[in-house]
Amino acid sequence: MALLTAEPSPALAFDSGTNGTTAVHRSRGRRIPWATPAFMTDVYDISLALTTVLLLTALGWSVSLRRRVTEQTEQIRRQLEREADLERKYTELFEHANDMVFSLDAAGRFTALNKTSERILGGPREKCLGCPLQDFVLKAQLQAFNEWMGKGMAGAAMPPFELEVCGANGSRSLLELSAQPIREGERVTGLQGIARDVTERKKAEEALRQSEERFSSAFRVSPVAIAVSSLKD
């Protein structure tokens, strides 16, 4: 078995002196500094410089990152404030609307109601939430209303619909409904709409119609001549 031994290169010889170790190139007789104090000082300076550069780079990156985080936090804060302001305005509009604003689930139960609903439905909205709208519809219109609501739940367009309802306190209101489907993806999960109370308007229209009929009847059967003319005539 051959034993391998490490021997110094024939081209190099090492000389130890008081100033450290020096490598001597035999073929050329030139001394190469090796681990002298001056050499070690240069290595230390280079290492210190590199460390300083790395620390300054890390510090600059940290400052830049902190600035970006601060800017993004400010943007998020402003966005949240805008959303909160829009939500507040929407809530005020929803609550103070003259018409009843509502939403229904797939079964026709109330899931949202504004303040006006209490006057139309004849009771606190807290008690009306969760109740089907069909419970307030007159029996004579119930089938027509179910067909109208079925169109919306099928995703079809919903034309305006006149509906007479009876409130929990016995009061009756004639409503003009406008609604549209609530969608989650391709699935219809309910309806949202507005119910305008047209009771007084219908009463005024009926009173005007009756007045015109009475006048027309009196005009036709009058025993004396009656003429109708405009101011220009």
Side-chain angles (χ1 to χ4, degrees), residues 6-74:
E7 296 182 356
S9 172
L12 294 175
F14 296 90
D15 182 22
S16 297
T18 58
N19 293 330
T21 303
T22 304
V24 181
H25 197 286
R26 292 180 176 176
S27 60
R28 298 182 180 178
R30 186 180 58 186
R31 293 179 177 271
I32 302 175
W34 190 268
T36 61
F39 177 78
M40 294 303 295
T41 301
D42 293 340
V43 171
Y44 174 78
D45 292 342
I46 294 173
S47 300
L48 182 61
L50 291 175
T51 302
T52 303
V53 171
L54 291 175
L55 289 175
L56 291 176
T57 302
L59 179 61
W61 179 83
S62 177
V63 172
S64 177
L65 179 61
R66 183 183 296 273
R67 184 182 299 112
R68 288 198 298 268
V69 170
T70 302
E71 293 174 353
Q72 292 178 358
T73 302
E74 181 64 20

Side-chain angles (χ1 to χ4, degrees), residues 122-216:
R125 54 180 162 176
E126 289 78 11
K127 293 184 178 181
C128 296
L129 289 173
C131 296
L133 176 55
Q134 289 92 329
D135 289 353
F136 300 90
V137 179
L138 298 183
K139 290 183 178 180
Q141 287 189 290
L142 189 56
Q143 182 177 353
F145 171 75
N146 288 334
E147 292 175 355
W148 177 79
M149 183 175 171
K151 291 181 181 179
M153 293 306 302
M158 304 178 68
F161 184 77
E162 282 194 0
L163 179 70
E164 189 171 4
V165 298
C166 181
N169 58 358
S171 63
R172 292 194 176 189
S173 301
L174 183 62
L175 305 179
E176 187 177 76
L177 298 181
S178 299
Q180 63 180 6
I182 300 174
R183 300 178 183 272
E184 291 184 3
E186 298 296 327
R187 187 168 61 93
V188 176
T189 59
L191 302 175
Q192 60 185 1
I194 297 174
R196 174 164 295 176
D197 189 348
V198 295
T199 305
E200 297 302 323
R201 190 186 75 187
K202 290 295 182 180
K203 287 181 179 180
E205 291 176 353
E206 180 62 20
L208 179 61
R209 185 187 64 81
Q210 293 179 2
S211 176
E212 290 176 346
E213 286 183 353
R214 287 195 297 267
F215 175 80
S216 177

Side-chain angles (χ1 to χ4, degrees), residues 98-111:
N98 293 326
D99 302 328
M100 183 177 82
V101 184
F102 65 93
S103 63
L104 307 173
D105 61 13
R109 295 184 295 260
F110 286 115
T111 56

